[in-house]
Amino acid sequence: MDKRYEVFCLADRYFYETPDRLSSSRTDGGAGDAGRLPLFEAARRTVPGGWTAQLAGDWLHFSPDGIPGRRVRPQQGWKIHVSACLANAEKTASYVWDYCVARAIPFKFVPGRRPLHLRNSKYAGRGSSGKFATIYPADEAEFRVILEELGKLLAGEPGPYILSDLRWGEGPLYVRYGGFTKRHCVDADGTLVTAIENGDGVLVPDRRDPAFHLPDWVALPEFLAPHLAARNATTTGDLPYRIERALHFSNGGGVYAGTDVRTGEKVVLKEARPHAGLAADGADAVTRLEREKAALEQVGGLGVAPAVRDWFTLGEHRFLVMDFLEGRTLNSFFAHRHPLIGAEPAPDAVAEYTAWALRILGAVEDAVAAVHGRGVVFNDLHMFNIMVDPDEQGVRLLDFEAALPVDDHRGQSMAHPGFIAPLDRKGFDVDRYALACLRLALFVPMTSLLVIDRSKAAHLAEIAASQFPGLPAGYLDEAVRVIEGESAPMGGCVPVEPGDWPASRDSMAAAILASATPGRDDRLFPGDVAQFADGGGLGLAHGAAGVLYALAETGAARYPEGEQWLLAHTAPPPAGTPLGLYDGLAGVALVLDRLGHTGRARELIESVLAENWQRLAPELHGGLAGLGLVLDRLGFKEQALEASDLLASRTDGGRRAGLLHGATGPALFLLRLYESTGDPALLDRAAEELRRDLDRCVTNPAGTLVVNDTRRTLPYLGGGSVGIAAVLDDFLAHRPDEAFREARDKILPAARSRYYGQSGLFNGRAGMVLHLARTGAPPARLAEQIDGLAWYALPYQGRLAFPGDQMMRLSMDLATGTAGCLLALGAALADRPVGLPFLAPTPAAPPGGPTDGPTRG
C-alpha cells in the first residue's frame, strides 16, 4: 500500500483531498480563506504596512515587498528552518513573527495545528517533516546573525529533527542551501523538478533528500563547521549490533534487520524519532515505541509475537531490539497463491487455496485471542502485520506500536485503511472488526472500499462466495454483520450495472459533473493525489483535460463550464506545469484542439517549445514520445521529427518497461510517425524499442508474459505487459513479425484474469476492458471483464462511480478513476470508435507482408 494516500483521506469523505484544506479559517489580515480550523495567533495578526501575506498550500507566506529601502533577497541561498511541536508552535510562531517583521526579513510558517500535525505525522514526507517556519536571509552575514539571535530566543524549545538539514546547536533551528523562489528544470529522469543555479549559472535539481546535502559548488560557512562535525559524530559503530539492511522507513524512524555481534543471532532494531511520526492522538514515535515495548512484554511467552531483547538511546533516537521472526508477511502470499490471479482457475486450486486461507485465518484468530487473554488490544491488525511461519501452519503478530491495554483503549490512533474500525468500536471490538475484514480480504482483497462505503461488505461477500464455493455456510455472513454493525448502510446499491450502456455512460457522466468544483483553482474534478503536484489539476492523466476527453470520446454531453475552466487556467498555466502528454501542457493542448479550441492549443504548444523540452525523458507519459505525438498531430512536423532524432540518440531505453514509462511509448510515437511520413526506418526503430520492453518481461507460472519490475510482475495497460501488447497489435498491422505475434498472444491472458487489485484504466481492470475491446476479443471474454468492473463500483449521489488508486476514495480522473472506466466501457460498448489518444481501435494484422504505406494521419 502506498502510504502517501492516507493523508489525502483526512479532508473529504469521498475524494482524495489536499490536506491544507483542513488548515483553518483565514482572517482579514491578508491571508485569505485557509479552511475550517483555528489558526495560531500569529497567523491571525494584521500585517503591517508594506507587508503582504499569502497562503499557498499549508504555508502562510509573509513578504516585505512594499517596504521602502528593503534589502533585495536572492533567488537562492542559505535558509533557516524552525522546528516546532504542537505544544510550542503557538509560541514559536510569535517569536518568528516578531523577530522577522521587526527586521523586514521574509518568512513563512504553517498557520495551524492540524497542518502541522499532518507535516509531522507518521507517513508524512521525510524530506519536509519537522519544518514549521522558513526564514530567508539576504546574505551570509544576515544568515549568521539570525541564527545567533533567534537561536538564543528559541533555546531549549523542542521540535522534531529536520532530516534534510544541518542542525544549529541543540535548539530548533536548522539550515539548508536551496531555492528561495520557484524555478524549475528537467532532472536526469526527464521530470520537471524545482531547481537552483549551479556554479555555472545552469539550473539543476534542488535536492530535498531526507539527509543533509551540500551542493558541490557551495562552500560550507566556517561557522557551521562545528555543527556539521557534531552531526557526524553520532554513529552505530559502538553498538553490539550490526545493522545490515533497512526493512522499512517512515517519518517516525526506521526498522532494520541486523545481527547481535555477541551471539550471531538475527535481530530487528526499531528506531523512534522524538516529536516525529505523530499518530492521530498526538503520540510521537518514541511514545508509541514505549507502548510497543510494554505490550510485547505483556504478551511475552505466548509465542504469538517477537520477544524484547534490548532498549537503548542513540543520538536522541530511541531503539527497541526484538527477535527476528522467520517467515513471510501474509500480504506477500497473493502473487503466487491466490487462484483468481489467473484467467481460468482450476477447481482444485480454488479448493486448495480455500483450505489454506481458512487455516491461516484460524491461526490469526487464535493469536488475537491469546493477546486479548492478556488484556491487550492489538489495535492495528492487517495483512502486513501478520507473519506466516515458514511451514505455513502458524502465524505471529508484528508491530505492536498501536497496542494498548483494554482498560486504556479509547479507539484507534492509526490503522491500515482496509481494516480500520468505525468510531463506534472500542476495545476488543476493534480487533474483531479487523478479523472480519480479514475474512473478506483473504478471498477478495478489496476491503479498502469499506472506508468509502461499509455497505460494500455484503457485495464483497457475495463475490467471495461465488468465486470460492468451498467456504463454510454463513462464514462470510458473520463478517458482514460485524463490519456493518448496528449502523444503517451508508451507500446502498449501485444505480446501474457497468455493462448497461448507454445508461451506465449517462450515470458515470452525471457522477463526474456532480463532483466538479469550477470555483476552485487547484483542480476541477477530484482524482488521484498526483493532481495536487505541479500543474493545477490540468492534465490528461489526473486533471480536467482527461475527464473532458473521456466525456467527448464516449458521446456524453459536453461540459462548457469545464472547458471554460480549462481555458481560464491555461491563460497562462501555473508556473512549473509539466510539459508532457499525460502529465502536462501537451496533453491539455491535444484535448483543447479536440474540443475545437485550436488557438489556445497552439499557444500552449508554442509555450512548450519555448522551454528546454529537448531534455525530457524518452517516455510517453511526460516525455519526448508523448510530446512528439502531439506535435505531429497538431502540425508541428519539424519539431516532431526533432523529437524522433533525439530519441535515436538515447539508447538506454529508460529504467522501466511499459506504455507510459518504458520503451513502448517511444515505439508508439515512431509507429505513428511512420504512418504520417511513410519512412520505413521509423518502423524499424519502433521494433527495436518494443524488443527492449519485451526483454524486461518474464513468463509467469501460468505461461503469461508480464513485465518484471524486480519487486513484482505487472500485467497492466500503463506499466505492464498489456500496454506493450497494445502497441504490438498496431505494429503487426503494418509488418508481420512472428516473435511479436507470439509475444502478443502470450500477453493476452494477462487481460483475462479473474481478479485485479484496482479498477482504473492504467493500473486496473478498466485497462483490460479497453485492450480486449480494441483487439476484438470474443464477446464472452469481454463481458467477463465488464461484469468484473461491478466489483469496484460505488454510488456517488445516486450515480455510478469508481474508486481511484489504493481504493480509499472515489476518483473521477482518466488514469485512475471514473473517467477511465467510462472510456474503457465506451471502447467496448459504444456505437462509435473510442480509445486513448493515439491508441484508437486497431485493425487486424494483415496475413501477408507489410502494408503499402502509411494508413493513418
Side-chain angles (χ1 to χ4, degrees), residues 581-582 618-621 625-626 628-629 632-633 647 658-660 662-675 682-683 685-687 689-690 693 723-724 726-731 734 774 836-840 856:
L581 171 60
Y582 279 105
E619 65 174 25
L620 180 73
H621 185 271
L629 283 163
D632 187 46
R633 174 69 59 85
L647 285 176
L659 178 66
L660 294 182
T664 298
L668 177 63
F669 168 45
L670 295 167
L671 182 60
R672 296 291 173 254
L673 199 58
Y674 159 73
E675 291 171 345
L682 293 167
L683 204 57
R685 289 173 54 199
E689 298 289 352
L690 286 167
D693 267 4
I724 300 172
V727 181
L728 286 173
D729 280 332
D730 286 14
F731 183 94
H734 294 291
R774 74 186 299 271
L836 276 169
F838 310 106
L839 273 175
R856 304 177 195 173

Side-chain angles (χ1 to χ4, degrees), residues 306-366:
V308 173
R309 286 173 170 259
D310 201 355
W311 178 251
F312 64 88
T313 300
L314 178 67
E316 301 184 11
H317 293 197
R318 182 74 72 175
F319 285 82
L320 173 66
V321 184
M322 300 169 282
D323 287 345
F324 181 92
L325 299 184
E326 300 288 351
R328 295 166 54 192
T329 55
L330 183 54
N331 66 289
S332 70
F333 283 86
F334 281 99
H336 75 280
R337 265 205 177 272
H338 203 285
L340 301 191
I341 297 298
E344 297 177 357
D348 289 349
V350 173
E352 180 184 352
Y353 177 84
T354 302
W356 177 86
L358 291 173
R359 183 176 72 245
I360 295 298
L361 281 163
V364 175
E365 289 168 350
D366 290 344

Side-chain angles (χ1 to χ4, degrees), residues 90-302:
E90 181 93 53
K91 176 172 63 174
T92 301
S94 293
Y95 273 118
V96 171
W97 166 283
D98 293 340
Y99 184 88
C100 292
V101 169
R103 294 161 180 80
I105 301 170
F107 66 103
K108 66 180 180 181
F109 64 87
V110 179
R113 286 177 56 86
R114 190 58 181 270
L116 179 61
H117 190 162
L118 295 177
R119 277 190 159 265
N120 293 333
S121 63
K122 181 174 181 180
Y123 290 106
R126 297 170 66 229
S128 59
S129 174
K131 297 174 182 176
F132 171 61
T134 307
I135 300 169
Y136 301 96
D139 53 34
E140 199 169 292
E142 186 177 63
F143 173 52
R144 181 172 186 174
V145 169
I146 297 171
L147 287 170
E148 292 174 345
E149 293 180 349
L150 191 59
K152 290 179 181 178
L153 291 173
L154 296 175
E157 293 294 337
Y161 199 102
I162 299 175
L163 297 173
S164 62
D165 289 22
L166 176 63
R167 189 177 190 180
W168 173 260
E170 298 181 355
L173 301 188
Y174 295 77
V175 301
R176 184 179 81 85
Y177 189 94
F180 288 9
T181 60
K182 274 196 173 182
R183 294 186 287 176
H184 297 85
C185 71
V186 177
D187 69 8
D189 293 328
T191 302
L192 202 67
V193 296
T194 56
I196 54 177
E197 287 184 23
N198 66 13
D200 298 323
V202 176
L203 288 176
V204 297
D206 185 2
R207 291 178 54 182
R208 302 184 181 189
D209 309 327
F212 178 64
H213 165 75
L214 185 66
D216 296 340
W217 67 93
V218 176
L220 186 77
E222 186 176 344
F223 63 86
L224 291 181
H227 305 274
L228 182 60
R231 177 189 176 99
N232 295 336
T234 300
T235 70
T236 60
D238 294 332
L239 294 178
Y241 307 102
R242 182 174 62 250
I243 295 177
E244 292 163 345
R245 70 183 191 278
L247 301 176
H248 174 68
F249 281 114
S250 75
N251 189 32
V255 182
Y256 310 93
T259 299
D260 187 327
V261 296
R262 299 164 298 189
T263 65
E265 295 175 300
K266 292 182 179 181
V267 295
V268 169
L269 298 91
K270 191 167 186 178
E271 171 194 29
R273 300 174 53 222
H275 314 302
L278 304 182
D281 62 356
D284 71 353
V286 172
T287 299
R288 293 200 313 279
L289 197 63
E290 291 169 345
R291 292 174 181 173
E292 181 162 16
K293 176 176 177 289
L296 287 173
E297 290 172 342
Q298 193 163 344
V299 302
L302 293 175

